Amino acid sequence: MKRSELNDIVDYTINVTENYKFPLPPFAYYKLKDWQSIGENQREIVDNMLGWDVTDFGTGDFDHIGLTIFTFRNGNFQKKETYPKPYAEKLLFVKDGQILPFHFHWSKMEDIINRGGGILKIKIYNSDKKEGFCNSPVTVSVDGKKVAVEAGSELFLEPGQSITLRPGQYHQWQGVPGSGDIVLFEVSTTNDDRIDNRFYQAKSRLPEIDEDVEAKYLLFTDYDRYIHL
């Protein structure tokens, strides 16, 4: 993905959250000079991958297949004594019609909450022992109600609704075309997106960046390059 595209995507997402009156923390707006001047007292942001995360899953077609994430809080698999939080919280911004490819998590349990905007369509399967699709019925919780559906079924989350997904449950979602952008929130167990995603076909989780312009904002994958604590 081009850096110019990433800059525009974050700008767009910030504008939408402001319109929806979902304020973000100060570090969501940090520019490069701000990141380069942070101190040891903000190490948690860097160590726990807080902040912006944008991906097109290696497609080169972000508007069709992609996701914009802002991580507010997270624990740490490798540094549990330093960061004992067993939970994470994220903004997951889905553009009108945008698709998140099929994947599951080996460790993470997550609640996906539609906070406003359009309608989210989720297609779900259990995974089998070879990490393929299983034909068995899938049991999930929708707003605290246990729901059992056939493999490959589609569920629809209107604004205000939520679903709980367990480890090993394949899910793909799409913002229903024409229903508008969607502000999703995720509440989950501690998460590390570098190691806890099993994608069915997607090429990559984290983007390779073409630095065609200077970074206006940093993604969490930029921290090692630009921040020295």
Side-chain angles (χ1 to χ4, degrees):
M1 298 184 72
K2 291 183 180 295
R3 181 66 71 174
S4 55
E5 180 185 15
L6 295 170
N7 290 343
D8 289 344
I9 289 167
V10 174
D11 274 334
Y12 181 88
T13 308
I14 287 173
N15 288 335
V16 171
T17 59
E18 290 175 348
N19 290 337
Y20 276 70
K21 301 188 185 305
F22 280 111
L24 300 173
F27 69 93
Y29 308 97
Y30 280 6
K31 303 303 188 291
L32 184 56
K33 62 180 177 60
D34 301 310
W35 285 112
Q36 291 176 327
S37 63
I38 68 169
E40 183 66 27
N41 60 351
Q42 289 184 282
R43 178 175 286 278
E44 182 175 352
I45 296 174
V46 176
D47 286 353
N48 294 0
M49 300 171 288
L50 309 187
W52 292 107
D53 174 9
V54 180
T55 180
D56 64 0
F57 302 99
T59 64
D61 188 8
F62 173 81
D63 285 340
H64 182 221
I65 300 176
L67 186 65
T68 305
I69 300 169
F70 185 85
T71 301
F72 296 91
R73 65 203 89 252
N74 195 10
N76 192 302
F77 285 151
Q78 283 75 41
K79 300 178 180 180
K80 292 182 179 180
E81 291 187 3
T82 304
Y83 305 111
K85 289 179 183 176
Y87 55 83
E89 180 189 16
K90 299 180 179 183
L91 161 70
L92 309 175
F93 185 70
V94 181
K95 296 188 72 176
D96 190 328
Q98 197 174 41
I99 294 171
L100 171 74
F102 272 115
H103 69 289
F104 72 75
H105 308 286
W106 290 284
S107 298
K108 182 173 72 170
M109 177 179 285
E110 57 188 340
D111 280 13
I112 304 299
I113 309 156
N114 187 339
R115 293 294 191 193
I119 301 168
L120 190 73
K121 176 176 67 175
I122 303 182
K123 191 170 187 177
I124 53 177
Y125 290 89
N126 291 321
S127 59
D128 61 23
K129 292 182 179 180
K130 294 184 179 180
E131 299 185 345
F133 292 145
C134 182
N135 288 324
S136 62
V138 186
T139 299
V140 294
S141 176
V142 178
D143 297 323
K145 179 181 179 180
K146 185 182 289 187
V147 178
V149 298
E150 295 300 312
S153 292
E154 295 177 344
L155 299 174
F156 293 83
L157 298 184
E158 301 271 355
Q161 290 190 293
S162 65
I163 187 170
T164 300
L165 299 167
R166 294 178 294 173
Q169 291 183 325
Y170 270 112
H171 49 288
Q172 177 201 65
W173 70 51
Q174 181 180 23
V176 173
S179 68
D181 297 341
I182 308 172
V183 177
L184 298 181
F185 270 58
E186 174 186 302
V187 176
S188 75
T189 53
T190 297
N191 174 230
D192 187 337
D193 273 320
R194 299 169 300 185
I195 60 174
D196 192 28
N197 290 290
R198 199 301 185 186
F199 283 94
Y200 190 69
Q201 289 182 322
K203 295 178 181 178
S204 61
R205 168 62 180 83
L206 303 175
E208 294 185 7
I209 301 175
D210 175 0
E211 303 288 355
D212 62 323
V213 299
E214 183 175 275
K216 184 175 181 181
Y217 308 94
L218 295 188
L219 307 185
F220 83 85
T221 50
D222 293 318
Y223 294 163
D224 286 346
R225 176 181 175 186
Y226 289 101
I227 301 172
H228 305 287
L229 295 177

